[in-house]
Amino acid sequence: MPKVGTAEMFKKANDGAYAIGAFNVNNMEIIQGIVEAAAELNTSLILQVSAGARKYARHEYLIKLVEAALLTSDIPIALHLDHGDTFELCKSVIDGGFSSVMIDGSKYSLEDNIAITKKVVDYAHERGIPVEAELGKLAGVEDDVNVAAKDAVYTDPQEAVEFVERTGCDSLAIAIGTSHGAYKFKTEPKLNFKRLEEIQKLLPEKYPLVLHGSSTVIPEFVKLCNDYGGDLGHAMGVPESMIKKAAAMNVAKVNIDTDLRLAMTGTIRKEFVANPSAFDPRKYLGPARDAIREMVKRKIKILGCDGSAAQ
Ligand code: G3H
Ligand code: 13P
Ligand code: ZN
């Protein structure tokens, strides 16, 4: 199976009212666990690499690991740059074999975000590579922020239309209340589905939207980390029911990293406590890989993309 782009995946996802899971990868065990889950459930898959992950694992290793995943499985797999922050980084991964990129100019003014996104889109499209962009600010949407300030960080629907028209980006990450990491909400979880609907209504029909910060921070896995020496305090994610609802709308891609980190770290902590004298890395990385696989299977079922590889 060749490495594939995301355009076809997103079209099928929005036609079928499900979302594709995009999972962050940093090493071999994480890639293997994710690919095993996706292959078992016959799912199209996006493996994504942040700038930090690329620095950690190194570009050449990641490319070869994904090639190995493609050789050993029979599912469509896209290799995507997550939160590219410069034109140079996007260019480098496009030239180096990634199948899609994200340019995240959300920290800039609208005009500057449009300018950097357009520059990446022009370069990428000449080479047949789709581009995800971001509009709105994920972090800092808190329950106790006043309404005006809240509106300022949620994606503005009119701006989204202008942004997509002027940049030509292929998918758009929007801010409707999710945020990165394990501490998404102070009290109760809240996503602004009304805002999501307004954005959908104004954009072209079935335009693919992306939800970052979509880990559900499952209490069982927070407990697993805490029971074996961790202290994750008031960790809280997006309820699975809300992710399910978003996946059934025009959200075509859902990003998940934190839940994999919790599963992996909790499992490794547990292994060390159960076997204090263990020093063979396979003894704790093996169970961690299994835990990643089971977590990804759970996610795939919530997103409704199981069986999508057969479509
Ligand atoms: O959205 C960010 C992802 O969770 C990647 O995190 O930059 O620490 O690799 P990272
Ligand atoms: P989480 O931190 O909720 O897993 O989000 C990951 C993400 O958005 C990666 O881009
Ligand atoms: Zn993200």
Side-chain angles (χ1 to χ4, degrees):
M1 177 71 67
K3 195 161 77 241
V4 299
T6 45
E8 191 60 19
M9 287 186 193
F10 292 164
K11 191 185 172 322
K12 287 179 184 169
N14 278 348
D15 285 348
Y18 62 82
I20 300 289
F23 301 97
N24 286 75
V25 300
N26 295 281
N27 70 5
M28 183 187 77
E29 283 77 9
I30 297 173
I31 292 178
Q32 287 178 337
I34 296 168
V35 172
E36 281 171 17
E40 205 176 312
L41 297 179
N42 207 21
T43 307
S44 297
L45 176 65
I46 300 171
L47 295 175
Q48 57 186 13
V49 175
S50 68
R54 185 169 177 260
K55 198 168 165 200
Y56 173 81
R58 288 179 253 162
H59 186 96
E60 295 75 8
Y61 283 82
L62 290 163
I63 291 282
K64 291 295 172 194
L65 285 167
V66 174
E67 272 176 29
L70 287 159
L71 271 177
T72 54
S73 68
D74 199 22
I75 50 168
I77 303 176
L79 177 58
H80 177 73
L81 173 68
D82 191 30
H83 293 286
D85 57 349
T86 61
F87 171 78
E88 289 69 28
L89 174 58
C90 294
K91 177 180 182 304
S92 167
V93 304
I94 291 168
D95 296 347
F98 277 39
S99 40
S100 54
V101 295
M102 174 191 192
I103 173 70
D104 179 0
S106 62
K107 63 173 187 265
Y108 299 123
S109 68
L110 178 64
E111 284 306 319
D112 288 351
N113 191 357
I114 288 173
I116 192 169
T117 302
K118 177 88 173 71
K119 189 173 173 189
V120 172
V121 167
D122 287 347
Y123 187 81
H125 283 187
E126 272 172 29
R127 289 151 185 86
I129 299 293
V131 178
E132 173 186 333
E134 179 164 331
L135 185 66
K137 288 189 177 64
L138 251 64
V141 181
E142 299 283 0
D143 276 342
D144 51 0
V145 170
N146 68 51
V147 173
K150 227 179 185 179
D151 276 343
V153 289
Y154 286 148
T155 304
D156 180 277
Q158 295 288 353
E159 273 187 12
V161 174
E162 182 187 346
F163 187 88
V164 168
E165 275 174 10
R166 288 179 60 194
T167 63
C169 64
D170 304 274
S171 59
L172 185 68
I174 54 163
I176 58 162
T178 62
S179 64
H180 294 108
Y183 306 94
K184 299 187 192 301
F185 305 99
K186 277 191 179 150
T187 51
E188 64 173 310
K190 254 191 226 159
L191 289 198
N192 193 336
F193 283 103
K194 189 165 168 283
R195 182 61 62 99
L196 172 55
E197 271 167 8
E198 286 164 0
I199 296 167
Q200 284 188 321
K201 245 184 242 156
L202 293 187
L203 284 173
E205 201 188 353
K206 294 186 181 169
Y207 183 86
L209 296 173
V210 180
L211 217 50
H212 282 245
S214 298
S215 279
T216 56
V217 190
I218 304 160
E220 182 190 331
F221 289 87
V222 173
K223 188 173 180 315
L224 183 65
C225 288
N226 287 343
D227 282 353
Y228 296 96
D231 180 10
L232 286 165
H234 76 280
M236 193 194 296
V238 186
E240 289 183 338
S241 59
M242 290 188 183
I243 296 296
K244 212 175 183 153
K245 182 170 169 179
M249 298 170 76
N250 265 24
V251 171
K253 172 174 179 273
V254 169
N255 285 13
I256 296 158
D257 187 1
T258 296
D259 281 333
L260 306 191
R261 293 179 176 191
L262 291 174
M264 182 164 205
T265 305
T267 302
I268 292 173
R269 281 185 183 282
K270 187 178 171 189
E271 288 301 321
F272 277 129
V273 171
N275 301 297
S277 59
F279 61 89
D280 177 346
R282 292 169 297 188
K283 293 281 192 290
Y284 51 92
L285 290 176
R289 178 174 57 191
D290 294 344
I292 296 264
R293 184 188 61 235
E294 294 312 307
M295 179 61 79
V296 172
K297 278 162 63 182
R298 177 170 179 154
K299 298 292 168 189
I300 286 170
K301 287 176 188 161
I302 289 162
L303 299 175
C305 56
D306 37 327
S308 54
Q311 288 174 345

